[in-house]
Amino acid sequence: MEVRVAILGQGYVGTTLAVGLERIKAGEIPAWGVPFGFPKDFLREPKLTDIKIVHSIDVDEAKVGKTLYEVAQQYFPNLRIPETLKEVRVSRGIHLGSTRGLPLKARGLEEETSLQDAVERIVSEWEKAKVDVIVNVITTEKGPGIGNWEKLVEAIKKGGEWEGGKLPATYAYYYAAMLYAETVKPVAFANAIPITLARDEAAVNAAAQRNSIVLGDDGASGATPLTSDLLEHLAERNRYVKGVVQFNIGGNLDFLALLDPERNKAKETTKSSIVKDILGYDAPHFIKPTGYLEPLGDKKFVSMHIEYISFNGAVDEMIVNVRINDSPALAGLLVDVIRTAKIALEHGEKGTIYEINAFFMKNPGPAGAKSISRIVAYQLLIDWLLRHEALE
Amino acid sequence: MEVRVAILGQGYVGTTLAVGLERIKAGEIPAWGVPFGFPKDFLREPKLTDIKIVHSIDVDEAKVGKTLYEVAQQYFPNLRIPETLKEVRVSRGIHLGSTRGLPLKARGLEEETSLQDAVERIVSEWEKAKVDVIVNVITTEKGPGIGNWEKLVEAIKKGGEWEGGKLPATYAYYYAAMLYAETVKPVAFANAIPITLARDEAAVNAAAQRNSIVLGDDGASGATPLTSDLLEHLAERNRYVKGVVQFNIGGNLDFLALLDPERNKAKETTKSSIVKDILGYDAPHFIKPTGYLEPLGDKKFVSMHIEYISFNGAVDEMIVNVRINDSPALAGLLVDVIRTAKIALEHGEKGTIYEINAFFMKNPGPAGAKSISRIVAYQLLIDWLLRHEALE
Amino acid sequence: MEVRVAILGQGYVGTTLAVGLERIKAGEIPAWGVPFGFPKDFLREPKLTDIKIVHSIDVDEAKVGKTLYEVAQQYFPNLRIPETLKEVRVSRGIHLGSTRGLPLKARGLEEETSLQDAVERIVSEWEKAKVDVIVNVITTEKGPGIGNWEKLVEAIKKGGEWEGGKLPATYAYYYAAMLYAETVKPVAFANAIPITLARDEAAVNAAAQRNSIVLGDDGASGATPLTSDLLEHLAERNRYVKGVVQFNIGGNLDFLALLDPERNKAKETTKSSIVKDILGYDAPHFIKPTGYLEPLGDKKFVSMHIEYISFNGAVDEMIVNVRINDSPALAGLLVDVIRTAKIALEHGEKGTIYEINAFFMKNPGPAGAKSISRIVAYQLLIDWLLRHEALE
Amino acid sequence: MEVRVAILGQGYVGTTLAVGLERIKAGEIPAWGVPFGFPKDFLREPKLTDIKIVHSIDVDEAKVGKTLYEVAQQYFPNLRIPETLKEVRVSRGIHLGSTRGLPLKARGLEEETSLQDAVERIVSEWEKAKVDVIVNVITTEKGPGIGNWEKLVEAIKKGGEWEGGKLPATYAYYYAAMLYAETVKPVAFANAIPITLARDEAAVNAAAQRNSIVLGDDGASGATPLTSDLLEHLAERNRYVKGVVQFNIGGNLDFLALLDPERNKAKETTKSSIVKDILGYDAPHFIKPTGYLEPLGDKKFVSMHIEYISFNGAVDEMIVNVRINDSPALAGLLVDVIRTAKIALEHGEKGTIYEINAFFMKNPGPAGAKSISRIVAYQLLIDWLLRHEALE
Ligand SMILES: NC(=O)c1ccc[n+]([C@@H]2O[C@H](COP(=O)([O-])OP(=O)(O)OC[C@H]3O[C@@H](n4cnc5c(N)ncnc54)[C@H](O)[C@@H]3O)[C@@H](O)[C@H]2O)c1
Ligand SMILES: NC(=O)c1ccc[n+]([C@@H]2O[C@H](COP(=O)([O-])OP(=O)(O)OC[C@H]3O[C@@H](n4cnc5c(N)ncnc54)[C@H](O)[C@@H]3O)[C@@H](O)[C@H]2O)c1
Ligand SMILES: NC(=O)c1ccc[n+]([C@@H]2O[C@H](COP(=O)([O-])OP(=O)(O)OC[C@H]3O[C@@H](n4cnc5c(N)ncnc54)[C@H](O)[C@@H]3O)[C@@H](O)[C@H]2O)c1
Ligand SMILES: NC(=O)c1ccc[n+]([C@@H]2O[C@H](COP(=O)([O-])OP(=O)(O)OC[C@H]3O[C@@H](n4cnc5c(N)ncnc54)[C@H](O)[C@@H]3O)[C@@H](O)[C@H]2O)c1
Ligand SMILES: [Mg+2]
Ligand SMILES: [Mg+2]
Ligand SMILES: [Mg+2]
Ligand SMILES: [Mg+2]
């Protein structure tokens, strides 16, 4: 059962996904970091070898027109890159200013033609590539949701005007995905970035009406799921959390992008909601993607401090310091987001699927759904997979 | 529904339990640290206010004959101790050398009379006190299990001779508990120390035959359950753990006792089993209660290092440093061990109960049962409570 | 040899200084945290018992008019406050908006009378109290230096107009101190806050012309001197620092004040200069007072990450997590800032004194002076004390 | 000014030294990690390029007879090893059981011939190689000092019998070095391992009588100098250290060797002495090389906890976690031990030199000398270099 994947944003995450997947498929490395991938491939199907990256979009001039092989060499100069990555070439996407402030030269299709045209061109490329799953990993965008589908249709027509500013590129891609679903076949759109999409009713309805699926929002790959499991650990022992501090600093382009206060805000919101959701009370917390320091590269540094009250008034203290390779953390999860999305499509499910979101996403859709600890979410996901007879 | 509790070992844990419980019952402090105790009392019954400590045993001359109030003053010189603790006086117990190497003067009943007599004297005291649950928190002891009940009966007769050495005091107390069950009423024996008991078939059978319950072994209060939840977190993402380091150091009498290599070994075994049980492979690990440093007091220092492989071969690193008040951590759990034990007794259950052990104990009985992550164990326990209609 | 001290800003630091000093003088606690204070009092004179706090200024309505005893009770509700603190009452000072944004009601003398009058009133109070040393610990202020003395005179006349905004209160107090020096006797002004003063040529000249002394800037009490000693440690082994991360978060009023970006900037500058000064190259760094979290109180949490290259290209990593009681850290140092200031006055020194600043201050004056590691600075200070025959 | 170096123990440290040095000399990498080596070569002479490794000894069958190039390939399989390392071949040394317990096949010259002969054979090889400096980095050995030179002469004659056991191999090599000094030319012997040598009066006298130098003991490369600088930092602020915890764990052969309690003890002693020496009082401490965990490899994990009292009775806490590449840390220092040793020889100095030892060694000779903080020691060393006109 083949799964044909299109990537939006051929950056660190997108490229790590492509490279890691091909190396696993070629038997060069084990599938560590893929939840259901190792020591054996636990999913009945699709198998890891069934995943094919067939399309890629970016707006960075340094990438558009290059093969994934060439892009991968930029990220991993010392690695032997799989030859299979020569088969896909990065297409130009829709920009709408999403890279503002970043040190790169970006241009979108909408600068050559109308936005409506741009959308259609992308849809026809996806059609040729027979895409099943679209993975969104473009630069962090902020947005409170589409809200109203007509408004989106309008914005596309008006070349991207949106609430006095610009339409987020993600919403334009989502519009394209829905057009694809109408005209070609049902599709799954996995939104791994912080912008609101699977938590937006209009977006979920749009998918449902087209027998399609939207998953999201914001991949739960790093410090946040760890914090959530630590809080769950304390909650189950009924220890009273006095305060939570979580600092994040990294040196990749994503952290640089987060220096922009708007983008940072988007990230912060998804991170903070977990405290109340898990503890049941809103313990004072300071949880932020805090800074950029170039020499850290993709291996971010996270520092947490949690102080809590135990039995008989005793005060305990927990300090957690982590070095996490940011992009592989998400890329490994995305492999199984892709596979579970395909399973859901095959079963004719539509709208969004909380059981998938709750484990894989920081801010799980649909709107109003709670963050739960990852370990509890994992049990939910396992149950879902069992119900779908997807486990070996 | 009253629960009448007897304590074995009126040390730091035993005294923290008594003090904290009375302060909660008096409304002086909230029930933080008691899993089902706060913000409301989640158990239908017994309520927190139903728990009564009615008997206490120790062998330390500085404690025997004193009221719990006086003992509590030794541990908490600056705290207002609840007056209700004046009602219970520490009785002399069975020593059998369990405090060897420690800087205290200890004497057991068996030095004044025969061991069989000593046992009977204790049983009759428990009878007068109408004990329901016995909690074992004496100094760490080691022992591979009773193995064979006849052998134990023999050992009691012979004044405590046992495999060329001395019978562990815990086994003598367990013998007394079984005699109590035969002659008075069913009882629950909660073994919160590392010695093998709930994981011993002979012990479990003995309890079952007397409509009684044995829970254990070794309270899961500190760094080990945290480590187990961290490993589960990694396992669910299929990250490959290269190695686990866990150091423990504290300044209470229990850490001093662990300087004795035999006792240390007992502790180490329960701690190490979790790695394989949770990860599925035996990742190299160094997990030890390592040292004693007096100024740390009851607030131990734990340092962990976990290195693991993520997607695409990336190597991540997690460092966790914790300051945990050791005794309150266990004492808070014991409150609900006592309550769940009583619930089980009321339902006529016998032998041992994995659902309780798996959450509360490091080395959960019965023999051969697996350590699972605490968060998973918590779900099991919740299910068990629901089945027993015990949750409000 | 009595030292008569006036405090500016009767906040957490100022009050900890007053309370700790009286407790030491009364023999209630040892002089830990005072560099030359214990196990014996190493300074020939003044002795610790020679220090007298004789005057105090604040603008917070909750403090003005109260005795130091009453103010101390607000900060340390559970401590027995020394009675001697009843002898000093907090006078109203000059506000000039220095507490803007903080949740307190503040009013300055300049709201009742002219600024020039306000200054004179303070001078005459100091005169009555026969002040030798003035310690500035008001809310963090920012300022690039006085620059030109005439300009300052002008600003005082104009009621505090200054470069299109308001004159920093510190500069008004410094003006008062210089007036005191002219009309009463030489004085030492110790500036323990981040505003530029001892690094300002105009300020240093003003002091020198009046046989007076200015010390500063910004007390070196917390994470920064530790970072500087760690960097010195690496520099001496010639390890190449790839990057330095330092996060700070606390829950006292000073951290709350630092949420104001202007004040934060002032703090950041003093913190960052050390990297280049000590290493000789400007290693990439992220060193910030980052956040406010109320439950941390005065005990801030600091997290540092330093990655460096060792011999043969090996990459090492250092993570430092500290809980520091912020106010005692500075207050303990201030005790010996006061004493060394007095020694300097007695020797007729004037202007500023690098040997004192280099050890006690983050941003040591005079202008252009380098930050050096504290341990090296300590040797300098010892030499200075030996030259002044001040050590026992 | 050439310096001709002989290595004893071609292990991880010895090989890192050889590889790193040749790479620096070839301009492949900068001299980071060499205290006086970069950004320029600060020593007038010898220059880095003047150092020549001309002789090497080991007892491991997997190394004896191989070139340093081949040995280096075993340690650094992915590195381009400098061709110049093909010029030196590992000679067989004296074993005397120094590798007992380790998983390697070792054989010493004394198994083929008499110990006296073995010594002479080594001396004649050194003579051919015109050795100036001998660096001892064999497997950790323990020994309380030679004590009496006649006794050593006797032990050599008796084939290595020594106090009812075996003579440490280090003492046999030292005997050889002294024979070389008598018959060939003055030599410097740098003892980088924990065994007592430069702190032994007999050894120092033996060197002095032969116009030679002995430096040591135990290279100060890792966590201990860092601890010492942290303690100095606290001591200078007169903060009272309540307790110090320091755990060490690593995965190289040296950590495996330390599982042997005797060797561990040797290491522990040098580590613990610093607390009292620096603080002036013996703060409770737990400082140990604690464990072995293979996957950590040469990059050890160190965890420290220091709790101290600050002004006004406040209690602060410092937690330091470090990953240090163990062998490069020492190898980089050894480069300048070699160069300063040569400078001393050129100036006709003899015996031992505290100024060199105090900075480079954990347990600085001569007997009775104090450990001082490294940063203070560095000033001493700089002064010594200035007096010898050795700095550029
Ligand atoms: N662990 C993680 O790395 C992690 C976790 C959760 C979420 N995310 C999210 O994943 C996204 C990608 O992270 P990354 O580290 O790969 O960032 P990146 O900056 O390396 O890659 C982003 C890529 O998107 C491209 N892009 C930007 N705007 C585009 C547009 N309009 N159309 C097409 N391409 C566009 C950029 O040119 C770049 O190549 C971010 O939004 C981030 O918030 C990452
Ligand atoms: N978090 C925790 O503190 C924790 C966690 C798991 C297990 N435990 C176990 O709990 C036990 C108690 O720990 P603690 O910190 O209270 O130790 P403790 O040393 O403070 O108390 C032990 C008490 O038992 C008494 N005792 C010893 N032998 C006895 C005997 N034969 N009969 C009666 N009393 C006897 C001692 O006199 C002492 O009062 C230990 O075995 C420990 O391993 C503790
Ligand atoms: N370790 C440390 O705490 C540390 C280290 C270095 C520097 N500092 C500096 O010390 C200062 C004091 O810190 P704190 O923790 O005591 O802060 P705080 O907020 O507790 O105290 C400041 C006090 O100054 C008073 N104040 C404000 N403006 C005033 C004015 N114009 N005149 C008179 N009083 C005024 C406030 O009312 C308050 O009582 C800050 O500037 C801080 O940057 C503190
Ligand atoms: N940072 C550090 O690594 C550090 C710091 C201080 C001291 N040291 C000391 O340096 C020494 C070497 O450390 P390492 O990591 O290189 O250890 P290693 O085990 O890698 O190397 C030791 C080498 O010595 C050889 N050897 C053993 N006995 C010998 C003998 N009698 N004659 C000749 N060779 C012999 C072994 O075969 C091995 O090749 C140890 O004693 C250690 O305590 C190391
Ligand atoms: Mg990223
Ligand atoms: Mg304990
Ligand atoms: Mg402060
Ligand atoms: Mg080593």
PDB file of all heavy atoms in Angstrom, chain C residues 11-13 58 63 94 98 138-140 173 192 218 221 267 326, ligand 3:
ATOM      1  N   GLY C  11      14.759  48.382  49.772  1.00  0.00           N
ATOM      2  CA  GLY C  11      14.094  47.221  49.206  1.00  0.00           C
ATOM      3  C   GLY C  11      14.657  45.928  49.762  1.00  0.00           C
ATOM      4  O   GLY C  11      15.117  45.877  50.908  1.00  0.00           O
ATOM      5  N   TYR C  12      14.625  44.881  48.936  1.00  0.00           N
ATOM      6  CA  TYR C  12      15.045  43.554  49.385  1.00  0.00           C
ATOM      7  C   TYR C  12      16.526  43.556  49.763  1.00  0.00           C
ATOM      8  O   TYR C  12      16.918  43.046  50.821  1.00  0.00           O
ATOM      9  CB  TYR C  12      14.785  42.521  48.291  1.00  0.00           C
ATOM     10  CG  TYR C  12      14.241  41.207  48.808  1.00  0.00           C
ATOM     11  CD1 TYR C  12      13.128  40.628  48.214  1.00  0.00           C
ATOM     12  CD2 TYR C  12      14.829  40.547  49.879  1.00  0.00           C
ATOM     13  CE1 TYR C  12      12.612  39.427  48.683  1.00  0.00           C
ATOM     14  CE2 TYR C  12      14.327  39.339  50.341  1.00  0.00           C
ATOM     15  CZ  TYR C  12      13.225  38.784  49.746  1.00  0.00           C
ATOM     16  OH  TYR C  12      12.721  37.598  50.202  1.00  0.00           O
ATOM     17  N   VAL C  13      17.352  44.133  48.912  1.00  0.00           N
ATOM     18  CA  VAL C  13      18.787  44.161  49.193  1.00  0.00           C
ATOM     19  C   VAL C  13      19.068  45.051  50.398  1.00  0.00           C
ATOM     20  O   VAL C  13      19.763  44.653  51.341  1.00  0.00           O
ATOM     21  CB  VAL C  13      19.585  44.653  47.970  1.00  0.00           C
ATOM     22  CG1 VAL C  13      21.055  44.845  48.338  1.00  0.00           C
ATOM     23  CG2 VAL C  13      19.461  43.671  46.809  1.00  0.00           C
ATOM     24  N   ASP C  58      13.553  56.011  50.760  1.00  0.00           N
ATOM     25  CA  ASP C  58      12.758  55.266  49.779  1.00  0.00           C
ATOM     26  C   ASP C  58      11.659  56.191  49.276  1.00  0.00           C
ATOM     27  O   ASP C  58      11.520  57.326  49.763  1.00  0.00           O
ATOM     28  CB  ASP C  58      12.179  53.975  50.384  1.00  0.00           C
ATOM     29  CG  ASP C  58      11.951  52.897  49.328  1.00  0.00           C
ATOM     30  OD1 ASP C  58      11.075  53.101  48.456  1.00  0.00           O
ATOM     31  OD2 ASP C  58      12.636  51.866  49.352  1.00  0.00           O
ATOM     32  N   LYS C  63       6.611  52.245  52.718  1.00  0.00           N
ATOM     33  CA  LYS C  63       7.847  52.218  53.519  1.00  0.00           C
ATOM     34  C   LYS C  63       8.160  53.567  54.161  1.00  0.00           C
ATOM     35  O   LYS C  63       8.665  53.606  55.286  1.00  0.00           O
ATOM     36  CB  LYS C  63       9.020  51.797  52.633  1.00  0.00           C
ATOM     37  CG  LYS C  63       8.954  50.327  52.254  1.00  0.00           C
ATOM     38  CD  LYS C  63      10.011  49.957  51.228  1.00  0.00           C
ATOM     39  CE  LYS C  63       9.860  48.479  50.856  1.00  0.00           C
ATOM     40  NZ  LYS C  63      10.622  48.174  49.630  1.00  0.00           N
ATOM     41  N   ILE C  94      13.817  61.176  46.348  1.00  0.00           N
ATOM     42  CA  ILE C  94      13.493  61.781  45.055  1.00  0.00           C
ATOM     43  C   ILE C  94      13.012  60.665  44.129  1.00  0.00           C
ATOM     44  O   ILE C  94      13.687  59.634  44.004  1.00  0.00           O
ATOM     45  CB  ILE C  94      14.753  62.462  44.488  1.00  0.00           C
ATOM     46  CG1 ILE C  94      15.123  63.655  45.374  1.00  0.00           C
ATOM     47  CG2 ILE C  94      14.553  62.869  43.042  1.00  0.00           C
ATOM     48  CD1 ILE C  94      16.518  64.192  45.146  1.00  0.00           C
ATOM     49  N   SER C  98      11.201  56.636  38.898  1.00  0.00           N
ATOM     50  CA  SER C  98      12.053  55.434  38.834  1.00  0.00           C
ATOM     51  C   SER C  98      11.297  54.133  39.050  1.00  0.00           C
ATOM     52  O   SER C  98      11.793  53.071  38.690  1.00  0.00           O
ATOM     53  CB  SER C  98      13.180  55.542  39.864  1.00  0.00           C
ATOM     54  OG  SER C  98      12.624  55.651  41.170  1.00  0.00           O
ATOM     55  N   ILE C 138      18.520  51.369  44.743  1.00  0.00           N
ATOM     56  CA  ILE C 138      17.139  51.619  44.304  1.00  0.00           C
ATOM     57  C   ILE C 138      16.836  50.722  43.097  1.00  0.00           C
ATOM     58  O   ILE C 138      17.723  50.033  42.571  1.00  0.00           O
ATOM     59  CB  ILE C 138      16.889  53.107  43.956  1.00  0.00           C
ATOM     60  CG1 ILE C 138      17.660  53.515  42.693  1.00  0.00           C
ATOM     61  CG2 ILE C 138      17.249  54.022  45.118  1.00  0.00           C
ATOM     62  CD1 ILE C 138      17.267  54.908  42.166  1.00  0.00           C
ATOM     63  N   THR C 139      15.596  50.695  42.699  1.00  0.00           N
ATOM     64  CA  THR C 139      15.146  49.951  41.525  1.00  0.00           C
ATOM     65  C   THR C 139      16.089  50.201  40.339  1.00  0.00           C
ATOM     66  O   THR C 139      16.515  51.333  40.120  1.00  0.00           O
ATOM     67  CB  THR C 139      13.736  50.442  41.155  1.00  0.00           C
ATOM     68  OG1 THR C 139      12.879  50.234  42.293  1.00  0.00           O
ATOM     69  CG2 THR C 139      13.166  49.704  39.967  1.00  0.00           C
ATOM     70  N   THR C 140      16.362  49.152  39.578  1.00  0.00           N
ATOM     71  CA  THR C 140      17.255  49.244  38.421  1.00  0.00           C
ATOM     72  C   THR C 140      16.939  50.463  37.561  1.00  0.00           C
ATOM     73  O   THR C 140      15.805  50.663  37.141  1.00  0.00           O
ATOM     74  CB  THR C 140      17.121  47.986  37.536  1.00  0.00           C
ATOM     75  OG1 THR C 140      17.411  46.836  38.336  1.00  0.00           O
ATOM     76  CG2 THR C 140      18.056  48.035  36.340  1.00  0.00           C
ATOM     77  N   TYR C 173      20.594  61.781  43.204  1.00  0.00           N
ATOM     78  CA  TYR C 173      21.213  61.435  44.489  1.00  0.00           C
ATOM     79  C   TYR C 173      22.722  61.682  44.448  1.00  0.00           C
ATOM     80  O   TYR C 173      23.323  62.095  45.427  1.00  0.00           O
ATOM     81  CB  TYR C 173      20.943  59.974  44.857  1.00  0.00           C
ATOM     82  CG  TYR C 173      19.517  59.682  45.270  1.00  0.00           C
ATOM     83  CD1 TYR C 173      18.758  58.707  44.628  1.00  0.00           C
ATOM     84  CD2 TYR C 173      18.932  60.376  46.333  1.00  0.00           C
ATOM     85  CE1 TYR C 173      17.455  58.438  45.023  1.00  0.00           C
ATOM     86  CE2 TYR C 173      17.625  60.112  46.727  1.00  0.00           C
ATOM     87  CZ  TYR C 173      16.885  59.139  46.069  1.00  0.00           C
ATOM     88  OH  TYR C 173      15.596  58.877  46.455  1.00  0.00           O
ATOM     89  N   ALA C 192      25.491  50.271  43.428  1.00  0.00           N
ATOM     90  CA  ALA C 192      25.355  48.827  43.226  1.00  0.00           C
ATOM     91  C   ALA C 192      24.344  48.474  42.154  1.00  0.00           C
ATOM     92  O   ALA C 192      24.025  47.308  41.964  1.00  0.00           O
ATOM     93  CB  ALA C 192      24.982  48.165  44.553  1.00  0.00           C
ATOM     94  N   ASP C 218      27.093  48.324  39.476  1.00  0.00           N
ATOM     95  CA  ASP C 218      26.305  47.091  39.454  1.00  0.00           C
ATOM     96  C   ASP C 218      26.991  45.979  40.258  1.00  0.00           C
ATOM     97  O   ASP C 218      27.943  45.349  39.790  1.00  0.00           O
ATOM     98  CB  ASP C 218      26.074  46.613  37.999  1.00  0.00           C
ATOM     99  CG  ASP C 218      24.864  45.696  37.897  1.00  0.00           C
ATOM    100  OD1 ASP C 218      24.135  45.532  38.887  1.00  0.00           O
ATOM    101  OD2 ASP C 218      24.637  45.140  36.804  1.00  0.00           O
ATOM    102  N   SER C 221      27.071  40.036  42.199  1.00  0.00           N
ATOM    103  CA  SER C 221      26.720  39.110  43.258  1.00  0.00           C
ATOM    104  C   SER C 221      26.263  37.760  42.781  1.00  0.00           C
ATOM    105  O   SER C 221      26.281  36.801  43.524  1.00  0.00           O
ATOM    106  CB  SER C 221      25.591  39.719  44.088  1.00  0.00           C
ATOM    107  OG  SER C 221      24.468  39.859  43.270  1.00  0.00           O
ATOM    108  N   LYS C 267      20.825  45.891  32.354  1.00  0.00           N
ATOM    109  CA  LYS C 267      21.380  44.712  33.015  1.00  0.00           C
ATOM    110  C   LYS C 267      22.172  43.863  32.006  1.00  0.00           C
ATOM    111  O   LYS C 267      23.261  43.379  32.296  1.00  0.00           O
ATOM    112  CB  LYS C 267      20.211  43.876  33.505  1.00  0.00           C
ATOM    113  CG  LYS C 267      19.931  43.527  34.948  1.00  0.00           C
ATOM    114  CD  LYS C 267      20.858  43.702  36.014  1.00  0.00           C
ATOM    115  CE  LYS C 267      20.523  42.970  37.286  1.00  0.00           C
ATOM    116  NZ  LYS C 267      20.694  43.791  38.490  1.00  0.00           N
ATOM    117  N   ASP C 326      19.076  36.000  45.856  1.00  0.00           N
ATOM    118  CA  ASP C 326      19.618  37.160  45.169  1.00  0.00           C
ATOM    119  C   ASP C 326      20.058  38.272  46.116  1.00  0.00           C
ATOM    120  O   ASP C 326      21.170  38.792  46.014  1.00  0.00           O
ATOM    121  CB  ASP C 326      18.507  37.700  44.256  1.00  0.00           C
ATOM    122  CG  ASP C 326      19.062  38.274  42.990  1.00  0.00           C
ATOM    123  OD1 ASP C 326      20.199  37.941  42.624  1.00  0.00           O
ATOM    124  OD2 ASP C 326      18.343  39.080  42.360  1.00  0.00           O
TER     125      ASP C 326
HETATM  126  N1  LIG E   3      21.732  40.347  43.812  1.00  0.00           N
HETATM  127  C1  LIG E   3      20.966  41.397  43.658  1.00  0.00           C
HETATM  128  O1  LIG E   3      19.867  41.451  44.188  1.00  0.00           O
HETATM  129  C2  LIG E   3      21.481  42.540  42.844  1.00  0.00           C
HETATM  130  C3  LIG E   3      22.678  42.396  42.162  1.00  0.00           C
HETATM  131  C4  LIG E   3      23.147  43.493  41.447  1.00  0.00           C
HETATM  132  C5  LIG E   3      22.425  44.665  41.425  1.00  0.00           C
HETATM  133  N2  LIG E   3      21.257  44.734  42.085  1.00  0.00           N
HETATM  134  C6  LIG E   3      20.514  45.983  42.044  1.00  0.00           C
HETATM  135  O2  LIG E   3      20.115  46.360  43.336  1.00  0.00           O
HETATM  136  C7  LIG E   3      18.933  47.122  43.228  1.00  0.00           C
HETATM  137  C8  LIG E   3      17.969  46.746  44.296  1.00  0.00           C
HETATM  138  O3  LIG E   3      17.543  45.414  44.147  1.00  0.00           O
HETATM  139  P1  LIG E   3      16.400  44.876  45.114  1.00  0.00           P
HETATM  140  O4  LIG E   3      16.292  43.412  44.853  1.00  0.00           O
HETATM  141  O5  LIG E   3      16.620  45.353  46.483  1.00  0.00           O
HETATM  142  O6  LIG E   3      15.130  45.590  44.506  1.00  0.00           O
HETATM  143  P2  LIG E   3      13.804  46.032  45.249  1.00  0.00           P
HETATM  144  O7  LIG E   3      12.850  46.320  44.191  1.00  0.00           O
HETATM  145  O8  LIG E   3      13.451  45.026  46.293  1.00  0.00           O
HETATM  146  O9  LIG E   3      14.205  47.366  46.034  1.00  0.00           O
HETATM  147  C9  LIG E   3      14.345  48.601  45.406  1.00  0.00           C
HETATM  148  C10 LIG E   3      13.865  49.640  46.369  1.00  0.00           C
HETATM  149  O10 LIG E   3      14.207  50.890  45.849  1.00  0.00           O
HETATM  150  C11 LIG E   3      13.108  51.763  46.074  1.00  0.00           C
HETATM  151  N3  LIG E   3      13.198  52.867  45.145  1.00  0.00           N
HETATM  152  C12 LIG E   3      12.865  52.894  43.849  1.00  0.00           C
HETATM  153  N4  LIG E   3      13.101  54.104  43.339  1.00  0.00           N
HETATM  154  C13 LIG E   3      13.590  54.852  44.333  1.00  0.00           C
HETATM  155  C14 LIG E   3      14.004  56.188  44.418  1.00  0.00           C
HETATM  156  N5  LIG E   3      13.955  56.980  43.350  1.00  0.00           N
HETATM  157  N6  LIG E   3      14.453  56.628  45.585  1.00  0.00           N
HETATM  158  C15 LIG E   3      14.488  55.844  46.673  1.00  0.00           C
HETATM  159  N7  LIG E   3      14.111  54.578  46.654  1.00  0.00           N
HETATM  160  C16 LIG E   3      13.664  54.081  45.480  1.00  0.00           C
HETATM  161  C17 LIG E   3      11.909  50.874  45.869  1.00  0.00           C
HETATM  162  O11 LIG E   3      10.752  51.439  46.439  1.00  0.00           O
HETATM  163  C18 LIG E   3      12.366  49.622  46.577  1.00  0.00           C
HETATM  164  O12 LIG E   3      12.051  49.670  47.948  1.00  0.00           O
HETATM  165  C19 LIG E   3      18.423  46.958  41.806  1.00  0.00           C
HETATM  166  O13 LIG E   3      18.737  48.092  41.041  1.00  0.00           O
HETATM  167  C20 LIG E   3      19.237  45.832  41.280  1.00  0.00           C
HETATM  168  O14 LIG E   3      19.481  45.938  39.873  1.00  0.00           O
HETATM  169  C21 LIG E   3      20.765  43.701  42.816  1.00  0.00           C
END
